[in-house]
Amino acid sequence: MSHCTNTVVLERISDSELRADSRAEWLAGEYRAADYPTAHVHYDLTTGTFVVVASQGGA
């Protein structure tokens, strides 16, 4: 997530969950449609989780 600055973590989903990548992308889409138009997914190699993040403040 080093290229993202001033972000807020919206969701963390373990890659051990069934279809975690699809769920993370779906959640990011839901957040984009609501209050966080910059929501997107990162993968955290150190924890093995998909992380949905957005710019602080929504826009």
Side-chain angles (χ1 to χ4, degrees):
M1 289 189 288
S2 62
H3 71 274
C4 292
T5 58
N6 199 25
T7 59
V8 60
V9 173
L10 303 171
E11 300 274 345
R12 289 185 179 275
I13 303 161
S14 172
D15 66 0
S16 64
E17 291 186 30
L18 185 63
R19 295 188 296 270
D21 57 339
S22 296
R23 183 165 180 253
E25 290 293 347
W26 178 81
L27 284 168
E30 292 293 305
Y31 279 110
R32 281 192 299 272
D35 297 329
Y36 296 93
T38 63
H40 59 283
V41 178
H42 287 266
Y43 185 75
D44 186 338
L45 290 171
T46 60
T47 61
T49 56
F50 290 93
V51 184
V52 181
V53 297
S55 297
Q56 192 80 20

